[in-house]
Amino acid sequence: MFLHSVNLWNLAFYALMVFMATLGLWDVFFGFEENKCSMSYMFEYPEYQKIELPKKLAKRYPAYELYLYGEGSYAEEHKVLPLTGIPVLFLPGNAGSYKQVRSIGSIALRKAEDIDFKYHFDFFSVNFNGELVALYGGSLQKQTKFVHECIKTILKLYKGQEFAPKSVAIIGHSMGGLVARALLTLKNFKHDLINLLVTQATPHVAPVMPLDRFITDFYMTVNNYWILNARHINLTTLSVAGGFRDYQVRSGLTFLPKLSDHTSALSVVSSAVPKTWVSTDHLSIVWCKQLQLTTVRAFFDLIDADTKQITQNPKKKLSVLNHHFIRHPAKHFEENPSIISDLTGTSMWVPVKVSKWTYVAYNESDKIYFTFPLANHRKIYTHVYCQSTMLDTNSWIFGCINSTSMCRQGVDLSWKAELLPTIKSLTLRLQDYPSLSHLVVYVPSIHGSKFVVDCEFFKKETRSIQLPVTHLFSFGLSSRKVILNTSGLFYNIELLNFGQIYQAFKISVVSKCSAVKEEITSIYKLHIPWSYEDSLTIAQVPSTTEIPVKLHIAQPENDSHVALLKMYTSSDCQYEVTVKTSFSQILGQVVRFHGGALPAYVISSILLAYGGQLYSLFSTGHCLEYATMLDKEAKPYKVDPFVIMIKFLLGYKWFKELWDMCLLPELDAIVLTSQSMCFPLVSLILFLFGTCTAYWGGLLSSTSVRLLSSLWLALKRPSELPKEIKIISPDLPILTIVLIIVSWTTCGAFAILLTYFYYMFKIVHLQASLTTFKNSQTVNPKHSRRSEKKSNHHKDPAVHPLRLSANDAEDSLRMHSTVMNLLTWIVLLSMPSLIYWLKNLRYYFKLNPDPCKPLAFILIPTMALLGNTYTVSVKSSKLLKTTSQFPLPLAVGVIAFGSAHLYRVPCFVFIPLLLHALCNFICSSGPCCFGII
């Protein structure tokens, strides 16, 4: 019956929307590289020693615990406190485990063993009982206060030691990183208790799903504090994102705000981290061996030799983090590197005068210095590029001043090199080094191994090629192409007009090589200059390689840089680079950045259909099908233009003052604009996706009611349609009071769920009764017609109670189906706090704070009344016309204020439901309808 109310064109449209949404979801969940992280293993059995907390603290936080990680002999030795190492505290995230510390803890222990425990780290971990703090923010403040107490407890474990620490380093995974930042907002917290903060896949900018006001308030408190106190915060912070593999927390949310006064914060995507170069999902970021090795190396380089603790020097901290996480020069970190190096010994000095040079080292016995005179090259070329496949950490390239054939000392240029997966490379602009007379490449003596060193001089314009990207709406039907004919080693492909998050492309690189006997490797690096989100692709040539190109962060308005495809190529190969728009990836970007707002658009569409049903009941006396009204009423032009107009008017001072005077919250479109996420067509796409979801959700709901009613009929024969309508039955007040008590004493979401089951029971019962009536009508049509005439004989409700006919029952069922669709989404949005309450039921019987309690107090009596409401008692109401006009502005309000704040959405839904319930009491024939009791 539901499908019959939709024509084939609309059905085809909804099927098309499902297909498009599936493409977007596929790109988000599967459209990325395979997991290239190596698993980190423990060499000995991991042990977690529980740290005894003060009794008052343990009583105040019964669900939380503190542990010390250890393995083997280290764990045995440290069972007897105090400790002697450097404390590091690991904070798990949403539904995380304290045992996730084992990966980095084990790697750090192996590193300490390698240096004979000259330095070592003690890794602590907090057990938050797997709380769902990304979905329920009521416990975030409690976690923050507990971590503060843990830090003080940890430092007490080192009392009396020669090098007792005064602060701890914190590693926070997911929401654990936000809790660590929140420590600074506590009144009694001393900032010097934390000396370093590393966060992994932490959504710093905004919550992934803002399902309650507690989590948004927490975010506002933390971010506002860090912005307003940027000058006074000296905490060195590193945020590492997982890249496109992490579909739970998109990387754009992990980037710390760039403040001019706050320079001690770095944000980077794991695919850009040297020696890591892989994307990680939300969980593998804590065990990915490549990333954990990088983190541990950085931690050991941060140790101050005098204090045997992490250095307090902020410049050194930032220098170490830059070295390991931003640009690695293929050398061990040195705080004050020697710029001048001695070039001595019995080495050969070989002059090279050509502009392009290659040297293949096999089993040489002597060291060789190759010298390149720069005087002649400066007249012709602008840059010099060198690369080496010898990935040791020794200095390998130098600059000589005023030299003819050899020099005793040279400027060590190796610190300006960059480490890549298969080579280390260096590009110099010659005019930046006017004092250099020679470039010197050092080839060490080797035994049994092979490596290749290449150098070439070039003009910048010959290696920088502009490639405009294809238009957003080309849908991959058109492409743009460049061919690299010259035999260079390095190219920069400038991707013009590429800077928005909704742009997504596929770049195809086809390499063709001539007379290639050995395997050759090329590296393609997508470089985004306005954020550290680079990604690398390694290809064996000749081959055809596809590179997905999309952004985590949009290009800032005041940034004029151009995204680059850096190609480290072979001189024996020709490369053809083609770019075309990827429609599936564009849809993936829409889902990735705006998928959390979809419930708001679904509810907005249902509200429009609900308003249409109420108006059809007022104007014609009959309620039309939900699917019919969805096709007729759920139109984007009824919602989006109003939101755009309000956003435009808020640009005027007088309107903004009037807006603030009315105490209205900030428009969600402005919030999205501040995050470079506001694009007019996105709202249209989301509205179409929302309408599609509302349609198929209505189909599922209608089918479920029919199946349950059939099951009801199979188990128990229901009574016939009610002969008299009683809005307030004798048991209704008792049921309402019981549910309100349940909400007050336990959890508001639990009471809402029970109310939902009650309302569904009423609908199933009505459907079963109507089915029974129709079956009996088929068996005995004459008797049914007499009953129908008898029930309709008395039309004056002032004389006789209201009676329910079959047509009224069908109208009522249509209306109830739409109301149940709305109620379903309210229940879904309240589920996280219910799950949190159930998980912590052994500790707390009452959820406090409870984000759903105020809603439950209003929704319970409203739905109790609506469960006994029929169209026959509503269509004569004076309030019906007004009620039918409310859903339209409320549908606009849902998009304007609920797309980025989902917890506000139920507030817009219960208003028309409440007015609908009140229609039973305000009738055209008098102040009150008959048949209430």
Side-chain angles (χ1 to χ4, degrees):
M1 186 174 182
F2 186 92
L3 285 171
H4 291 316
S5 62
V6 184
N7 62 48
L8 292 178
W9 286 109
N10 288 332
L11 195 61
F13 169 76
Y14 291 134
L16 175 63
M17 288 298 102
V18 170
F19 174 73
M20 290 175 61
T22 303
L23 280 180
L25 289 169
W26 184 92
D27 181 74
V28 171
F29 292 104
F30 305 103
F32 43 70
E33 64 179 18
E34 63 180 5
N35 194 346
K36 296 179 181 178
C37 282
S38 300
M39 178 65 75
S40 52
Y41 294 96
M42 284 75 254
F43 285 84
E44 297 177 273
Y45 189 79
E47 296 185 34
Y48 305 90
Q49 180 182 348
K50 187 176 179 180
I51 303 299
E52 187 175 350
L53 300 173
K55 290 183 179 180
K56 289 184 179 180
L57 187 62
K59 187 176 181 181
R60 196 187 317 163
Y61 304 100
Y64 299 163
E65 297 168 322
L66 177 65
Y67 287 89
L68 170 65
Y69 177 79
E71 296 177 19
S73 59
Y74 169 86
E76 290 296 324
E77 292 173 5
H78 290 83
K79 284 182 179 179
V80 180
L81 305 176
L83 304 174
T84 58
I86 304 168
V88 179
L89 178 61
F90 176 81
L91 302 180
N94 178 60
S97 169
Y98 66 95
K99 295 182 179 181
Q100 290 173 313
V101 73
R102 63 183 177 269
S103 294
I104 192 167
S106 181
I107 292 173
L109 184 59
R110 301 284 85 77
K111 177 75 172 177
E113 288 178 348
D114 291 342
I115 59 174
D116 295 326
F117 283 93
K118 180 181 179 181
Y119 311 111
H120 75 275
F121 289 89
D122 299 319
F123 278 85
F124 298 85
S125 184
V126 174
N127 179 17
F128 286 133
N129 193 35
E131 291 182 334
L132 300 171
V133 286
L135 304 178
Y136 169 77
S139 62
L140 283 168
Q141 192 67 22
K142 182 171 62 175
Q143 286 191 1
T144 306
K145 292 179 179 178
F146 179 74
V147 171
H148 183 200
E149 298 297 333
C150 285
I151 292 173
K152 293 189 287 187
T153 301
I154 288 170
L155 294 178
K156 289 179 182 177
L157 301 176
Y158 295 85
K159 276 193 172 181
Q161 298 301 307
E162 182 180 359
F163 298 101
K166 299 179 180 178
S167 57
V168 302
I170 294 182
I171 299 176
H173 172 240
S174 188
M175 295 299 288
L178 186 70
V179 169
R181 287 180 64 215
L183 286 167
L184 275 62
T185 66
L186 298 178
K187 292 182 179 180
N188 301 323
F189 185 79
K190 298 178 181 178
H191 290 196
D192 56 0
L193 288 178
I194 309 177
N195 53 38
L196 177 68
L197 172 59
V198 177
T199 65
Q200 300 172 335
T202 296
H204 293 293
V205 177
V208 177
M209 292 287 284
L211 295 174
D212 63 58
R213 63 179 179 85
F214 304 119
I215 192 169
T216 54
D217 290 347
F218 189 81
Y219 265 89
M220 187 177 296
T221 301
V222 173
N223 286 332
N224 286 347
Y225 181 88
W226 278 63
I227 291 171
L228 295 175
N229 298 275
R231 295 182 179 180
H232 309 292
I233 296 177
N234 295 319
L235 175 60
T236 302
T237 308
L238 171 69
S239 175
V240 183
F244 288 110
R245 281 192 60 83
D246 189 350
Y247 52 79
Q248 295 185 46
V249 176
R250 62 177 179 84
S251 297
L253 292 177
T254 67
F255 278 67
L256 292 161
K258 293 183 179 179
L259 306 174
S260 57
D261 296 318
H262 186 52
T263 58
S264 57
L266 288 174
S267 302
V268 63
V269 179
S270 61
S271 59
V273 175
K275 294 190 176 183
T276 301
W277 296 305
V278 295
S279 177
T280 65
D281 60 51
H282 197 63
L283 290 179
S284 67
I285 198 169
V286 299
W287 57 255
C288 182
K289 186 176 181 181
Q290 295 96 312
L291 183 59
Q292 301 310 318
L293 282 170
T294 300
T295 306
V296 169
R297 292 188 198 106
F299 269 53
F300 274 88
D301 282 340
L302 285 166
I303 298 174
D304 188 326
D306 296 329
T307 63
K308 293 190 177 181
Q309 297 292 323
I310 289 180
T311 180
Q312 297 296 322
N313 185 346
K315 289 185 178 180
K316 181 180 177 180
K317 291 180 190 177
L318 208 59
S319 179
V320 170
L321 295 180
N322 270 290
H323 179 94
H324 288 282
F325 288 90
I326 305 299
R327 185 184 179 94
H328 199 295
K331 288 179 67 65
H332 292 305
F333 174 79
E334 294 180 25
E335 187 174 358
N336 297 303
S338 300
I339 302 300
I340 305 300
S341 298
D342 293 328
L343 306 179
T344 57
T346 58
S347 305
M348 294 177 58
W349 287 80
V350 180
V352 179
K353 296 182 180 181
V354 296
S355 61
K356 186 174 182 180
W357 167 83
T358 299
Y359 180 79
V360 181
Y362 286 97
N363 205 2
E364 303 291 335
S365 58
D366 298 326
K367 304 174 184 177
I368 304 176
Y369 287 102
F370 292 94
T371 62
F372 298 80
L374 300 180
N376 293 330
H377 292 307
R378 291 184 196 277
K379 300 175 183 179
I380 307 174
Y381 305 107
T382 60
H383 290 70
V384 60
Y385 170 80
C386 290
Q387 66 180 32
S388 173
T389 60
M390 181 71 168
L391 301 182
D392 62 353
T393 57
N394 297 319
S395 297
W396 63 287
I397 191 164
F398 307 89
C400 288
I401 301 173
N402 299 325
S403 175
T404 55
S405 60
M406 60 181 293
C407 56
R408 293 184 177 277
Q409 287 186 328
V411 179
D412 192 349
L413 299 174
S414 306
W415 291 101
K416 298 186 178 295
E418 180 182 14
L419 178 65
L420 294 169
T422 58
I423 59 172
K424 51 186 178 183
S425 67
L426 174 69
T427 304
L428 296 178
R429 192 168 68 164
L430 296 178
Q431 70 179 44
D432 292 340
Y433 301 89
S435 60
L436 296 184
S437 61
H438 285 73
L439 187 71
V440 179
V441 175
Y442 170 62
V443 176
S445 59
I446 57 173
H447 301 282
S449 59
K450 172 191 172 182
F451 67 94
V452 181
V453 184
D454 297 277
C455 285
E456 64 174 347
F457 291 85
F458 63 90
K459 290 183 179 180
K460 181 183 178 182
E461 54 269 21
T462 62
R463 301 303 170 83
S464 295
I465 301 170
Q466 294 184 340
L467 178 61
V469 296
T470 49
H471 195 271
L472 184 67
F473 300 109
S474 64
F475 301 107
L477 301 177
S478 62
S479 63
R480 290 193 173 96
K481 182 188 300 182
V482 294
I483 298 176
L484 310 181
N485 287 317
T486 57
S487 57
L489 299 172
F490 172 79
Y491 293 91
N492 275 334
I493 308 294
E494 299 180 359
L495 303 176
L496 303 182
N497 308 318
F498 174 49
Q500 299 299 318
I501 57 175
Y502 306 110
Q503 293 176 292
F505 310 95
K506 283 185 179 179
I507 291 183
S508 175
V509 181
V510 179
S511 55
K512 299 176 181 178
C513 307
S514 58
V516 176
K517 297 180 180 179
E518 298 182 358
E519 193 175 75
I520 301 175
T521 301
S522 292
I523 302 173
Y524 312 131
K525 178 179 181 180
L526 179 65
H527 175 60
I528 308 301
W530 54 84
S531 63
Y532 298 116
E533 55 176 281
D534 297 358
S535 59
L536 286 87
T537 303
I538 303 173
Q540 302 295 330
V541 295
S543 64
T544 299
T545 306
E546 275 202 350
I547 306 170
V549 177
K550 48 197 172 187
L551 296 173
H552 297 291
I553 298 287
Q555 185 174 14
E557 292 182 1
N558 57 351
D559 195 299
S560 59
H561 291 92
V562 180
L564 300 175
L565 178 64
K566 293 188 172 184
M567 301 182 62
Y568 301 87
T569 57
S570 170
S571 59
D572 298 321
C573 300
Q574 181 184 14
Y575 295 82
E576 182 181 280
V577 182
T578 306
V579 59
K580 62 172 60 178
T581 299
S582 174
F583 183 61
S584 62
Q585 288 189 76
I586 290 174
L587 293 175
Q589 290 291 82
V590 171
V591 173
R592 181 176 288 107
F593 282 83
H594 297 278
L598 186 62
Y601 285 87
V602 176
I603 291 173
S604 180
S605 297
I606 299 175
L607 280 174
L608 291 173
Y610 182 41
Q613 284 184 316
L614 290 171
Y615 187 77
S616 71
L617 186 63
F618 165 76
S619 58
T620 66
H622 292 284
C623 180
L624 297 180
E625 283 280 358
Y626 167 72
T628 303
M629 296 313 302
L630 196 66
D631 294 334
K632 184 179 178 182
E633 299 294 335
K635 306 297 182 184
Y637 61 78
K638 294 187 176 184
V639 176
D640 284 342
F642 291 98
V643 178
I644 295 171
M645 184 173 61
I646 294 171
K647 181 186 174 185
F648 173 76
L649 291 173
L650 282 171
Y652 292 95
K653 186 178 179 181
W654 65 269
F655 190 81
K656 183 67 168 66
E657 290 176 352
L658 183 64
W659 185 274
D660 294 336
M661 193 181 301
C662 296
L663 302 178
L664 292 171
E666 190 174 22
L667 198 68
D668 281 359
I670 295 178
V671 176
L672 295 176
T673 301
S674 66
Q675 300 175 16
S676 301
M677 289 172 52
C678 195
F679 187 61
L681 281 178
V682 169
S683 184
L684 172 62
I685 294 172
L686 287 173
F687 195 95
L688 296 177
F689 284 174
T691 305
C692 173
T693 306
Y695 167 75
W696 292 110
L699 175 61
L700 179 63
S701 174
S702 176
T703 305
S704 300
V705 168
R706 291 180 181 278
L707 289 175
L708 289 173
S709 67
S710 300
L711 181 62
W712 178 275
L713 289 172
L715 296 177
K716 180 181 178 181
R717 183 183 179 88
S719 59
E720 296 181 355
L721 293 174
K723 296 180 179 179
E724 296 181 3
I725 296 175
K726 295 181 180 180
I727 305 301
I728 302 179
S729 57
D731 59 340
L732 194 62
I734 298 174
L735 177 66
T736 303
I737 292 171
V738 168
L739 288 175
I740 289 177
I741 292 174
V742 169
S743 174
W744 179 264
T745 56
T746 59
C747 172
F750 180 54
I752 291 175
L753 183 63
L754 294 177
T755 305
Y756 176 76
F757 287 145
Y758 162 77
Y759 191 76
M760 179 177 279
F761 165 77
K762 298 292 288 186
I763 297 175
V764 170
H765 187 270
L766 178 61
Q767 177 69 60
S769 300
L770 182 62
T771 303
T772 303
F773 178 81
K774 288 182 176 180
N775 291 338
S776 64
Q777 191 178 32
T778 303
V779 174
N780 194 355
K782 293 183 179 180
H783 175 74
S784 299
R785 283 196 294 271
R786 286 197 300 270
S787 300
E788 185 75 13
K789 289 180 180 179
K790 186 177 180 181
S791 64
N792 293 331
H793 180 71
H794 303 287
K795 295 184 180 179
D796 186 3
V799 180
H800 293 279
L802 293 174
R803 299 179 183 275
L804 189 67
S805 66
N807 290 334
D808 290 328
E810 287 186 349
D811 285 346
S812 300
L813 199 57
R814 295 186 187 116
M815 186 65 73
H816 283 311
S817 297
T818 305
V819 172
M820 191 174 75
N821 288 337
L822 286 172
L823 189 60
T824 299
W825 282 96
I826 292 179
V827 171
L828 290 175
L829 291 175
S830 65
M831 276 295 100
S833 60
L834 175 63
I835 296 171
Y836 178 90
W837 173 71
L838 289 172
K839 194 171 183 180
N840 292 274
L841 196 57
R842 57 176 174 165
Y843 301 109
Y844 313 102
F845 186 72
K846 180 180 180 181
L847 182 63
N848 186 33
D850 189 348
C852 298
K853 187 176 293 182
L855 176 65
F857 287 167
I858 301 174
L859 200 62
I860 289 169
T862 299
M863 299 313 299
L865 288 173
L866 284 178
N868 286 350
T869 297
Y870 302 92
T871 55
V872 67
S873 63
V874 172
K875 59 187 177 183
S876 59
S877 174
K878 290 181 178 180
L879 191 60
L880 181 58
K881 183 178 181 180
T882 304
T883 302
S884 67
Q885 294 171 346
F886 261 82
L888 175 58
L890 292 173
V892 176
V894 166
I895 303 303
F897 302 107
S899 55
H901 298 82
L902 287 177
Y903 66 90
R904 295 174 181 167
V905 171
C907 301
F908 293 94
V909 175
F910 84 80
I911 295 175
L913 297 179
L914 180 61
L915 292 174
H916 186 177
L918 292 176
C919 286
N920 292 286
F921 302 95
I922 304 176
C923 296
S924 58
S925 59
C928 179
C929 288
F930 286 85
I932 292 177
I933 301 177

